[in-house]
Amino acid sequence: PVRTGFARVSVLGAVPAALKRAGVPISAPAFFGLCALLAGVTLVALTPLIGSAGAALVALASGLGVPLVALRIRLRKQADALVAQLPDALELMARGLRVGHPLNASIGAVAQEMADPIGTEFGIVFDQVNYGDDLPEAFQDFADRVDLEAVHYLSASIGIQHGSGGDLARVIEVLARV
């Protein structure tokens, strides 16, 4: 695919996915518009005080640097929360499987009973499976969305178990402990 606009710059091209992963409800163009607005306000406010060259540097740093750092902090908090919730979600899922609930019902229980961000992510997996996606594909999409090592391990484990058969509850319990 041909990359256009901001996507040509690797840091800026990653912003749309980062906004989505961080749960920020604005589009990339709106984000960059707010960055430009912040830079413009900073430039206008500082030009009389420190001159145009200094104001331009500060405006660039505040207009692009501050929002990108804030986005990175939000991403880190979101990832930390998801990783902290993952063992509990997996234990809940394994308990459901142990008592005889179907896999999709166990995924749905996690989606309903767990707080965000894990509840929302499992809700997406639940919907994907309900609408016909294969379980390994739904978990791979989850791993791609959140891009966390622990979730990639979960996705790979579910994919292997799904293809070979076996005790999924045991695999999930082991992953919860790890």
Side-chain angles (χ1 to χ4, degrees):
V2 176
R3 294 170 53 171
T4 60
F6 291 120
R8 290 183 183 169
V9 180
S10 64
V11 172
L12 300 180
V15 168
L19 288 169
K20 189 174 184 181
R21 283 192 354 242
V24 178
I26 64 172
S27 67
F31 177 80
F32 289 123
L34 290 173
C35 290
L37 180 65
L38 179 60
V41 168
T42 304
L43 182 65
V44 168
L46 293 181
T47 298
L49 300 174
I50 62 174
S52 61
L57 288 173
V58 173
L60 181 63
S62 69
L64 196 56
V66 171
L68 287 175
V69 168
L71 179 60
R72 183 167 290 257
I73 290 169
R74 174 104 184 225
L75 269 173
R76 185 79 254 143
K77 284 183 181 179
Q78 189 85 350
D80 290 346
L82 198 136
V83 168
Q85 291 177 308
L86 192 58
D88 293 335
L90 294 178
E91 287 176 10
L92 178 61
M93 196 170 143
R95 280 195 309 269
L97 291 172
R98 287 268 182 236
V99 298
H101 290 280
L103 178 59
N104 207 27
S106 296
I107 294 169
V110 172
Q112 289 179 346
E113 295 181 26
M114 298 288 297
D116 283 338
I118 199 87
T120 298
E121 291 298 337
F122 269 77
I124 293 169
V125 171
F126 178 76
D127 288 344
Q128 281 182 272
V129 173
N130 272 343
Y131 289 111
D133 279 354
D134 288 336
L135 181 69
E137 183 181 328
F139 271 95
Q140 184 59 52
D141 289 348
F142 170 35
D144 292 341
R145 263 193 319 276
V146 299
D147 196 27
L148 295 170
E149 187 177 12
V151 180
H152 283 288
Y153 286 136
L154 171 65
S155 173
S157 299
I158 286 177
I160 291 168
Q161 188 283 332
H162 186 72
S164 64
D167 187 4
L168 181 59
R170 183 175 173 279
V171 170
I172 291 173
E173 286 174 346
V174 169
L175 286 171
R177 284 192 300 259
V178 171

